[in-house]
């Protein structure tokens, strides 16, 4: 086996480890919402190729108000769904759309576009 | 300067006034003591000209009542009051939490409604106004935006206004009791602009417009990529192209250099979404279809460019470019997206159809004037005139006139329903024959139609349990494909045939491109959308994907008897005359009905209705007496008439003879017989019963035909229950079940390890509906939002149960087909792309074919989902 082949194999192993680490194990940036004076937990979320922020930490039992603004025309992200809260909204391009609900139980709830290409997570504590 | 006495209107000098009062920041003068006393009793009524809004010409303060939905009932809304009071010009804040109103007295010169509305919102409360969008023609200058906004904001009744120069539209939120659309349009006209209808009013239209725009954008991108692809293909297969094959290697490399530049706009314009999408996903530590396409085409382009720039580093024969792969794959995938978008548009056809039912305008009568208003401006309590042939604009109750109304679009009832004063009318139904006026009870998002649309949309976007499984899988899918691509490269490079580098690169690029997470992701939602929409078309509102999925596996259907199998309303069924009696059947019924007309017993109405069907003329009654637990007695046309049960006849010593036997057999049939004695002699029996709906037996047979066990549950006695069960072909009867035990009985059936559906009216049966795996509520008319149910059948017919199960089965089959297709496609496609077949058959996939396969696999999924649109129930529930 030539050195080049060994190098390619080793690169393959390194890449595999990197992919697994980066997509599954690396810690994600969490955005913790603060509770405003009125008890509302608010966040503005930008929709462009993904949700920013995409991991949102909120407190249970307090209303959450999320304002989505979609800044792309790709039809994929035209809808955002919170299946666990039975919430969904059409996101016309450039128009802020607000979703409001109160998570009552702690847990991790996903949100996503209709076909699941863009994903985010709502962590209720 | 004289002042006007607010009570009598006399002009008086303040110095000589009999009295003065200060109220709400203003001083009032009075001519006499009686005037001031009158004022003191109700000072407010002299201050205001209107309770809702408007200027009092003699006062500087104005008053407005803002509808705020979430005012706290118990604790005072101190922070809200503080916020409003801190605004300059706000004089007084009154919170009426019970009515959900916030009353503001303010100086319109110092503060406008928009600012107060903003303060209410800033305090965290919800202001309920109407929102409308108005188009503005030729709005070009950015500075005019502010002028128009300010003008709109200063229009009384406007809460917020914003003008968007890009869309040339103003979005205005306003209180419909204080202003009309005409006022808003006038405000725009004052700045010399012409208002026009907004390009789109409903989100669905907006979505459609966005889709049309996106479609043409994608097609432009596709055509550009396609043209470049042809050019690039010619240079890639130079060996077979007449002039090119004679070129030297150096000139060819120069030519390839040109194609390298040509493919750049294909990647970064036609395929820009892939690269920006991939990068955005990467930043979020996730990967999707964009990642795969971007990696695949990016790798192909980089390799090609290296190969022609520094061919010496590459082994002999491997320094050839793959720009064709880049251009063709991007062209195909973009085309696939465009086709998918087009197919998706068809999937929401059901919602569009429902929204299309909505009337656009209403003829409202306010203060005696008829005016045509857009339906959005109609308020609860308005009186609306509807002429023959017109649509009923919103929900309400008839106050004048009568007509026949075609409600088929909502209830599926094909015959027009006759409506008289006091009857409910539903928006979007069509008035057939007469003219009537009705008072609105529900408008806007509260109407039956709006609720149906909302329910259907929510359900379409909910998730079937199976979709959660798919989500878990697709969360791992893309990274796994990337790892597979890496190892495909490694294996081909290490043990593959010559030229290894080319094989390694081509196969790994093919793996990246052929994998299609989209087909997997689209499989469930697209079918769900079409299936639930199809349900709505047939008057079946499926609440969620979960309900749809569970309905497929139903093994037992429990039917409530009253109101579900039967009409839930007693009807006259039999008239029996005594053998030796002297009375004809018609005469007997006429006399009985005359007596029962006076009675308030529910069974009495059935007899009166029965007589009216036969067009019998009822006469007056004397000495009517109700004998509790027995029946009634009365005098008609000089004859003593007794109507009642056996107890009454025995008490009055009436000899019944063979009638007693007949009454027993009637009771065996589940009917309620009543003896009639005229002049102390037995005359006959009249029986009433809650009759079975015409199509119940047929529907139950169809359910049994689907392999489902049908069980009847009722609080009635076993004899009555079995009589009905026999009629409709049910063998298993749960009778004498108390309402509170119904849920428990459903639970017992579930304990047989079977999936149980419960069908009931949704009010008495709520716990049982909730207990069942699938609860189906039979509703009629406006009560569509039955909370406890998973599925609501708007048509009163049991056939809806059959159709619901059929739709569920058809939809789930469609979902399984899609998932199977997407799964098989990926599990076969990826290994073939890796070159699994190469050692045996020498077959290797071209990346371009992979691109085509990937693009059309998701189109196929959407296409298959659209096939559901052709679904037809076995029998129509109409």
């Amino acid at each position: 086996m030539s050195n080049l082949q060994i190098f390619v194999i080793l690169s393959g192993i390194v890449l595999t480890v990197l992919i697994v680490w980066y997509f599954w194990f690396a810690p994600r940036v969490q955005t913790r919402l603060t509770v405003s004076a009125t008890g509302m937990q608010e966040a503005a979320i930008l929709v462009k190729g993904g949700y920013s922020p995409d991991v949102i930490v909120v407190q249970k039992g307090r209303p959450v108000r999320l304002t989505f603004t979609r800044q792309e025309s790709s039809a994929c992200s035209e809808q955002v769904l919170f299946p666990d809260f039975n919430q969904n909204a059409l996101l016309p391009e450039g128009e802020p759309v607000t979703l409001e609900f109160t998570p009552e139980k702690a847990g991790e709830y996903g949100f996503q576009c209709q076909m699941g290409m863009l994903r985010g997570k709502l962590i209720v504590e | 300067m004289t002042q006007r006495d607010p009570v009598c209107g006399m002009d008086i000098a303040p110095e000589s006034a009999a009295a003065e009062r200060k109220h709400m920041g203003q001083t009032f003068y009075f001519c006499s003591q009686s005037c001031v006393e009158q004022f003191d009793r109700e000072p407010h009524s002299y201050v205001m000209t209107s309770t809702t809004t408007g200027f009092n010409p003699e006062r500087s303060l104005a008053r407005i009542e803002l509808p705020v939905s979430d005012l706290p009932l118990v604790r005072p809304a101190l922070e809200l009051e503080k916020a409003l009071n801190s605004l300059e010009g706000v004089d007084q804040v009154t919170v009426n939490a019970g009515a959900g109103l916030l009353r503001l007295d303010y100086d319109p010169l110092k503060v406008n409604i928009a600012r107060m509305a903003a303060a209410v919102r800033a305090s965290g409360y919800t202001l309920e106004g109407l929102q409308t969008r108005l188009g503005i023609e030729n709005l070009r200058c950015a500075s005019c935006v502010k002028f128009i906004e300010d003008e709109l904001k200063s229009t009384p009744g406007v809460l917020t206004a914003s003008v968007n120069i890009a869309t040339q539209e103003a979005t205005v939120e306003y209180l419909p009791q204080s202003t009309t659309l005409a006022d808003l349009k006038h405000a725009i006209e004052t700045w010399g602009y012409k208002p026009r209808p907004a390009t789109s009013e409903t989100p669905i239209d907006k979505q459609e417009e966005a889709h049309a725009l996106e479609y043409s954008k994608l097609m432009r991108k596709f055509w550009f990529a396609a043209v470049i692809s042809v050019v690039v293909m010619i240079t890639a297969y130079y060996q077979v192209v007449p002039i090119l094959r004679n070129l030297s290697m150096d000139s060819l490399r120069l030519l390839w250099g040109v194609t390298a530049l040509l493919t750049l706009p294909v990647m970064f314009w036609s395929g820009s979404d892939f690269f920006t999408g991939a990068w955005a996903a990467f930043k979020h530590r996730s990967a999707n279809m964009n990642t795969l396409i971007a990696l695949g085409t990016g790798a192909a382009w980089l390799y090609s460019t290296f190969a022609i720039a520094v061919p010496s580093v590459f082994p002999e024969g491997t320094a050839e470019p793959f720009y064709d792969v880049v251009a063709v794959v991007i062209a195909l995938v973009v085309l696939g997206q465009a086709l998918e978008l087009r197919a998706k548009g068809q999937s929401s056809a059901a919602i569009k159809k429902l929204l299309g039912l909505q009337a656009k305008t209403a003829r409202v009568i306010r203060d005696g004037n008829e005016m045509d208003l857009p339906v959005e401006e109609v308020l609860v309590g308005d009186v609306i005139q509807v002429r023959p042939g017109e649509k009923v604009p919103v929900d309400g109750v008839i106050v004048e006139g009568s007509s026949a109304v075609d409600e088929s679009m909502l209830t599926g009832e094909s015959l027009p329903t006759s409506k008289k004063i006091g009857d409910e009318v539903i928006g979007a139904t069509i008035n057939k024959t007469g003219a009537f006026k009705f008072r609105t009870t529900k408008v806007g998002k509260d109407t039956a139609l709006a609720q149906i649309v909302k329910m259907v949309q929510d359900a379409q976007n909910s998730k079937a349990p199976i979709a959660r499984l798919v989500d878990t899988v697709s969360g791992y899918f893309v990274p796994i494909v990337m790892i597979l691509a890496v190892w495909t490269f490694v294996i081909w490079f290490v043990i593959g045939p010559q030229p290894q580098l080319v094989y390694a690169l081509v196969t790994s690029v093919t793996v990246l491109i052929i994998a299609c997470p989209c087909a997997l992701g689209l499989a469930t939602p697209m079918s769900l959308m079409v299936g639930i929409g199809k349900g709505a078309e047939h008057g079946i509102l499926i609440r969620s994907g979960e309900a749809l999925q569970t309905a497929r596996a139903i093994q037992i259907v429990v039917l409530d008897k009253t109101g579900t199998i039967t009409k839930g309303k007693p009807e006259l069924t039999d008239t029996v005359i005594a053998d030796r009696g002297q009375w004809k059947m018609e005469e007997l019924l006429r006399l009985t009905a005359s007596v029962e007309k006076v009675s308030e017993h529910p069974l009495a109405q059935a007899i009166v209705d029965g007589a009216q069907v036969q067009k019998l003329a009822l006469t007056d009654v004397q000495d009517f007496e109700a004998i509790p637990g027995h029946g009634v007695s009365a005098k008609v046309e000089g004859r003593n008439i007794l109507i009642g049960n056996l107890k009454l006849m025995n008490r009055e010593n009436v000899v019944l003879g063979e009638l007693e036997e007949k009454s027993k057999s009637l009771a065996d049939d589940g009917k309620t017989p009543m003896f009639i004695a005229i002049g102390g002699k037995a005359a006959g029996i009249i029986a009433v019963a809650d009759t079975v709906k015409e199509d119940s037996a047929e529907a139950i047979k169809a359910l049994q035909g689907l392999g489902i066990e049908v069980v009847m549950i009722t609080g009635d006695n076993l004899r009555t229950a079995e009589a009905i069960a026999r009629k409709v072909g049910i063998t298993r009867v749960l009778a004498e079940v108390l309402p509170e035990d119904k849920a428990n009985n459903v639970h017992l059936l579930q304990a047989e390890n079977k999936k149980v559906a419960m069908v009931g009216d949704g009010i008495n049966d709520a716990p049982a509906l909730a207990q069942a795996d699938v609860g189906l509520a039979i509703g009629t008319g406006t009560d569509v939002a039955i909370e406890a149910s998973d599925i609501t059948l708007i048509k009163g017919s049991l056939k809806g149960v059959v159709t619901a199960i059929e739709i569920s089965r058809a939809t789930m089959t469609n979902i399984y087909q899609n998932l199977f297709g997407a799964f098989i496609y990926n599990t076969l496609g990826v290994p073939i792309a890796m070159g699994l077949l190469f050692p045996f058959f020498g077959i290797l996939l071209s990346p371009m074919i992979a691109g085509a396969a990937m693009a059309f696999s998701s189109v196929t999924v959407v296409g298959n989902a659209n096939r559901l649109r052709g679904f037809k129930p076995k029998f129509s529930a109409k």
Side-chain angles (χ1 to χ4, degrees), chain B residues 313-462:
Chain B
V313 235
F314 290 83
E316 182 66 31
T318 62
E320 285 199 14
F322 302 104
Y323 295 117
D324 52 335
V325 172
V326 179
V328 172
V329 165
I330 289 177
L332 286 172
V333 178
V334 169
L335 178 66
Q337 284 183 329
L339 295 179
E340 188 185 308
L341 199 63
R342 173 145 288 190
K344 257 187 183 172
Q346 297 171 350
S347 317
S348 55
I351 289 286
K352 255 180 282 171
K353 229 187 239 178
L354 281 172
L355 283 172
L357 294 174
Q358 176 73 58
K360 298 275 178 288
T361 59
R363 187 162 299 118
V364 180
I365 305 171
R366 280 186 194 160
D367 305 325
N369 301 321
E370 266 191 32
M371 49 185 156
D372 276 322
L373 286 183
V375 72
E376 297 82 21
E377 288 197 56
V378 176
L379 303 175
V380 170
D382 272 338
V383 173
I384 292 178
Q385 166 85 48
V386 187
R387 295 192 188 138
E390 286 181 343
K391 265 185 190 167
V392 178
V394 295
D395 300 355
V397 176
I398 296 186
V399 291
E400 193 184 317
S402 65
S403 181
V405 177
D406 176 7
E407 298 185 332
S408 57
M409 58 293 296
L410 292 183
T411 66
E413 178 64 50
S414 53
L415 291 174
T417 322
S418 68
K419 301 273 180 186
K420 53 182 192 305
I421 292 176
D423 283 346
E424 246 186 9
V425 286
I426 315 172
T429 57
I430 294 171
N431 177 27
K432 286 291 197 196
T433 51
F436 62 86
K437 288 177 185 164
F438 73 99
R439 174 163 287 118
T440 61
T441 52
K442 285 172 184 165
V443 299
K445 62 183 193 326
D446 298 323
T447 62
L449 179 69
Q451 287 197 34
I452 289 174
V453 170
K454 173 91 176 73
M455 262 174 66
V456 173
Q457 274 177 331
D458 280 355
Q460 282 182 328
N461 293 321
S462 71

Side-chain angles (χ1 to χ4, degrees), chain A residues 98-110:
Chain A
T98 303
L99 277 180
E100 236 180 81
F101 54 91
T102 306
E104 299 291 357
K105 261 167 68 185
E108 287 192 9
Y109 305 97

Side-chain angles (χ1 to χ4, degrees), chain A residues 45-98:
Chain A
I45 298 170
L46 174 73
V47 184
K48 195 176 181 187
Y51 300 109
S52 326
D54 61 341
V55 183
I56 297 161
V57 186
V58 296
Q59 289 175 24
K60 70 174 172 191
R62 290 176 187 278
V64 175
R65 183 186 287 165
L66 302 174
T67 306
F68 288 85
T69 311
R70 171 166 159 246
Q71 289 191 345
E72 61 182 356
S73 63
S74 153
C76 193
S77 54
E78 69 184 359
Q79 240 175 352
V80 62
L81 314 177
F82 285 78
D84 299 296
F85 300 97
N86 202 10
Q87 293 281 334
N88 64 78
L90 272 181
L91 308 176
E93 193 181 349
E95 214 173 281
V97 175
T98 303

